[in-house]
Amino acid sequence: MTKPERHDNIGLTLLNQNLVNICDEMAVSMMRTAYSPIFSEGLDFSTLILDEHGNLVATAGLNPAMLGASLYAATWIIQEVGAENFEEGDIWIYNDPYRGGSHMPEHMMILPIYIDGEIVAYVGNIAHMAEIGGMAAGSFSATATDIYQEGLRLPPVKLFERGEPVKDIWRIVLTNHRTPANSWGDLHAMLGSLYIGERRLRQLIEERGVPNIRKSFTQLQDFAEQHIRDEIQALPDGVYCAEDRFDDDGIGNTPYYIRLTMIIDGDRVVFDFTGSDPQAAGAINAPYVVTLSGSLNGLLYFLGRRLPVNAGISRAVRVVTQSGTICNVRHPGACVGGQTEYQPKLIEMIVSGILSKLGPDRATAGTGNTSLNFLFGGIDPKTHEYFAHYHFEGHGWGGRKTLDGNSAQIMLHANCRNTPVEIFETRYPWLHHDYSLSQGTAGAGEHRGGLGVSRDIEVLGDVITVSVLADRGERRPEGILGGAPGSLTEVLVKRAGSDEFQDFRVAEGSKSLTKFVNVRLKKGDVVRLVSPSGGGYGDPLDREPALVLSDVIDRFITKEQALEEYGVVITPDTTVDLAATATARSKRK
């Protein structure tokens, strides 16, 4: 007979780490067995342990962007299907953004763990499939106007029934994907991680006993709830507002605004998005769980030091949205861009627009804040098989009180890593001419913004079809406290035989600088992707001259920029002329 455990904080911490370790092992399995770089290199997935009701207990934490779906997707499946309709060996899959999912490329699988005929827990994962059909290769269409153009939408269905594959479902899925072999491999990578999680969690349950595990799962969630309530309680009560906008939705030229009222009341927070714009015709809309995810991630960025991430954290938070708005898309609105472009805007609104004012030491300037989603597909001239890939770029983060902004950093919601050049070129018919930090673009400040990146790639195949979904093409990341703004997103093309780069609005007649779909590029064409740099923090004339000199030596800025933006005079032998610098700065001040 298993002895009852003492559930003190130390014991809960050790249990939480044990559960996270299981999720980590599941994640490593997915990474090492996947077919697509978006899994093996990008790590665009989350692995989960859930209690008997589907509530999140632990996650590997690789992809905070999926937090909202991690909290709601499994509970939705269980409520819709009914736990009584699960059987041992069943594995369920779905990707519906109107049923608690985030966007359609992200598929959730869950597997129930039975002990003595009862469900004690579930293991699950959520992963971004590289290709699920739809109107554009890579299934990330910036100009989709309804959900049916975005790919194959699955309600909760059994992928395995009592341990055996449901072949008809497999046939439907693989027939609708442009790259069925890769989809088969990636789905099996997901399956393998579930089996590892099941085996490890069963071992833990056998060691501790079912009653102790159930009690511990409840107490872990209670602990996380109390922890976040204590952190919120330390903030001043009040009503705070912020807003941000998209340049456009890829269909028209109208900007779309997100408006937030954040109410701190004792130990709870309300995020109220009432007043945000009606849902767009294009794909920039967000399902409710993405708005929840962005709200929680913004709060956790500010508060979540050593906080277990589980369902308990959502109990202190209420998210209010209106159906049919950009913050809560109504069927059949397109919404593939909500996860990657909308969610980080929420995080920046919360962290930089509101919470940093309550804790000025944590304030940051504006970030590049776009994933610069770059999708492409075609026939590989070597294998004569169809390929498709989803790539995203890092950008510059904003400067802060004590440090410059990070350069070439991925999104605020930590949505994955980009594809290494070596993988890019060995898997797909592209050739890199340049991949570098975007020199001279960071917002000047006492602490400058981080630099974005610039990438020039040439088409080696006969034809590659490309699509882009990004933002920040028209409005620069803002500087704060006297800092200068950062730079803009640029997506350009140079046709074979030409010496001139043009944006796609000029070259192809797209309605948006940063959102277009299914442009056919031919051998010798070169694409240039330039991600935005971050804004500066503080007056540039207060920046240490030695730091300015270092930036010149590193070729982040030129000598001319050192004088023009920072009032620092760099001599021909690359040293600082302190006297001339003092004079130049005195005149400017």
Side-chain angles (χ1 to χ4, degrees):
M1 180 176 176
T2 305
K3 294 182 179 179
E5 293 184 350
R6 284 188 63 213
H7 296 285
D8 56 19
N9 287 350
I10 294 176
L12 286 175
T13 299
L14 293 173
L15 174 62
N16 180 69
Q17 191 56 56
N18 197 332
L19 296 171
V20 170
N21 287 344
I22 294 173
C23 292
D24 287 341
E25 188 174 352
M26 294 168 67
V28 170
S29 169
M30 283 185 68
M31 178 187 72
R32 291 185 173 176
T33 58
Y35 281 34
S36 298
I38 194 171
F39 280 20
S40 59
E41 302 292 337
L43 306 183
D44 198 350
F45 57 79
S46 292
T47 49
L48 317 169
I49 292 175
L50 310 147
D51 69 16
E52 62 188 298
H53 306 294
N55 298 311
L56 180 66
V57 176
T59 177
L62 293 177
N63 196 331
M66 295 175 175
L67 177 58
S70 299
L71 291 167
Y72 271 92
T75 58
W76 192 291
I77 295 176
I78 295 166
Q79 289 173 11
E80 179 171 337
V81 172
E84 69 277 7
N85 294 313
F86 283 69
E87 296 180 276
E88 192 160 2
D90 286 356
I91 295 178
W92 291 77
I93 185 171
Y94 93 123
N95 70 334
D96 192 343
Y98 304 117
R99 284 179 163 96
S102 51
H103 62 176
M104 287 215 301
E106 292 179 0
H107 290 57
M108 175 172 226
M109 286 187 190
I110 61 169
L111 181 156
I113 295 179
Y114 281 82
I115 303 292
D116 297 329
E118 286 189 315
I119 296 176
V120 176
Y122 297 84
V123 289
N125 50 41
I126 304 174
H128 186 125
M129 301 290 293
E131 188 5 89
I132 64 165
M135 67 184 287
S139 311
F140 218 88
S141 174
T143 60
T145 55
D146 66 46
I147 195 73
Y148 300 101
Q149 296 172 327
E150 295 187 335
L152 179 64
R153 179 164 151 243
L154 295 172
V157 291
K158 287 183 183 181
L159 196 62
F160 275 70
E161 184 171 16
R162 286 178 284 185
E164 295 297 323
V166 182
K167 293 181 180 180
D168 286 343
I169 297 298
W170 282 90
R171 290 191 184 101
I172 291 170
V173 170
L174 297 179
T175 299
N176 279 276
H177 291 194
R178 288 179 177 85
T179 54
N182 281 2
S183 293
W184 187 93
D186 293 340
L187 288 169
H188 277 80
M190 295 173 71
L191 290 167
S193 83
L194 292 183
Y195 293 136
I196 285 175
E198 178 190 27
R199 186 162 62 249
R200 294 288 184 259
L201 191 54
R202 280 187 181 278
Q203 291 172 350
L204 184 64
I205 294 170
E206 289 173 2
E207 290 173 6
R208 296 180 175 240
V210 170
N212 284 329
I213 282 292
R214 284 178 166 159
K215 184 176 181 181
S216 297
F217 283 0
T218 298
Q219 290 193 329
L220 273 173
Q221 294 171 57
D222 292 343
F223 176 85
E225 176 189 1
Q226 189 57 52
H227 193 304
I228 199 168
R229 286 188 184 277
D230 290 343
E231 294 277 351
I232 294 169
Q233 186 82 51
L235 298 174
D237 286 357
V239 178
Y240 308 94
C241 298
E243 72 173 25
D244 201 349
R245 68 174 175 87
F246 283 93
D247 295 338
D248 55 65
D249 69 343
I251 305 299
N253 296 320
T254 304
Y256 283 83
Y257 282 84
I258 309 162
R259 298 181 177 94
L260 167 63
T261 300
M262 179 176 171
I263 304 165
I264 301 176
D265 181 14
D267 63 354
R268 68 190 188 102
V269 177
V270 177
F271 295 96
D272 188 348
F273 293 90
T274 302
S276 296
D277 280 355
Q279 71 185 51
I284 59 174
N285 304 298
Y288 176 83
V289 297
V290 173
T291 298
L292 170 68
S293 189
S295 302
L296 283 170
N297 277 319
L299 189 62
L300 292 175
Y301 260 102
F302 197 80
L303 299 179
R305 298 180 292 270
R306 301 177 298 278
L307 174 64
V309 177
N310 60 47
I313 63 174
S314 63
R315 299 174 189 166
V317 174
R318 184 183 176 201
V319 176
V320 178
T321 66
Q322 293 173 296
S323 178
T325 65
I326 193 173
C327 306
N328 188 355
V329 64
R330 179 187 295 143
H331 178 269
C335 55
V336 71
Q339 179 74 317
T340 62
E341 299 302 304
Y342 165 94
Q343 184 175 168
K345 290 184 185 296
L346 298 197
I347 297 172
E348 187 164 271
M349 289 164 63
I350 294 165
V351 175
S352 298
I354 294 176
L355 292 176
S356 63
K357 296 173 183 176
L358 307 183
D361 289 352
R362 303 186 197 179
T364 63
T367 72
N369 220 17
T370 177
S371 290
L372 218 175
N373 305 286
F374 180 60
L375 296 301
F376 57 83
I379 303 298
D380 193 318
K382 297 178 182 178
T383 65
H384 305 291
E385 293 182 355
Y386 202 97
F387 65 87
H389 183 54
Y390 169 38
H391 172 79
F392 26 76
E393 291 286 11
H395 57 254
W397 283 24
R400 48 234 199 248
K401 183 175 181 179
T402 57
L403 292 170
D404 295 336
N406 296 347
S407 296
Q409 185 80 20
I410 208 66
M411 298 296 291
L412 286 172
H413 59 10
N415 186 32
C416 324
R417 306 180 301 183
N418 68 6
T419 308
V421 170
E422 296 81 359
I423 301 299
F424 215 114
E425 294 187 344
T426 55
R427 293 288 298 270
Y428 311 110
W430 291 98
L431 175 67
H432 278 74
H433 292 295
D434 175 68
Y435 178 42
S436 61
L437 295 175
S438 298
Q439 299 174 10
T441 60
E446 181 180 2
H447 291 101
R448 60 162 173 77
L451 280 71
V453 300
S454 180
R455 183 189 299 265
D456 287 3
I457 47 176
E458 179 184 345
V459 177
L460 297 184
D462 293 330
V463 176
I464 296 181
T465 301
V466 302
S467 303
V468 169
L469 201 167
D471 206 58
R472 290 284 201 205
E474 298 180 0
R475 192 162 66 99
R476 300 175 185 274
E478 296 179 355
I480 61 171
L481 300 176
S487 61
L488 296 173
T489 301
E490 293 183 87
V491 186
L492 310 171
V493 63
K494 182 176 70 173
R495 291 296 188 178
S498 173
D499 295 326
E500 180 185 5
F501 278 98
Q502 296 178 316
D503 65 58
F504 280 77
R505 198 154 60 183
V506 173
E508 293 293 327
S510 68
K511 293 184 178 180
S512 170
L513 288 170
T514 57
K515 302 173 186 69
F516 52 84
V517 69
N518 286 340
V519 174
R520 288 168 62 85
L521 300 180
K522 297 181 180 180
K523 184 179 293 186
D525 292 346
V526 178
V527 174
R528 174 171 291 172
L529 303 174
V530 182
S531 65
S533 296
Y537 179 104
D539 189 340
L541 298 181
D542 291 332
R543 185 167 177 79
E544 288 289 338
L547 295 178
V548 178
L549 175 63
S550 178
D551 285 346
V552 170
I553 292 171
D554 290 336
R555 294 188 296 175
F556 293 165
I557 61 174
T558 64
K559 292 181 180 180
E560 291 74 20
Q561 282 182 298
L563 178 58
E564 180 181 344
E565 297 179 1
Y566 294 97
V568 174
V569 178
I570 307 296
T571 66
D573 61 349
T574 318
T575 60
V576 176
D577 186 329
L578 294 175
T581 295
T583 299
R585 287 185 162 184
S586 178
K587 288 180 179 179
R588 296 194 182 195
K589 286 187 176 181

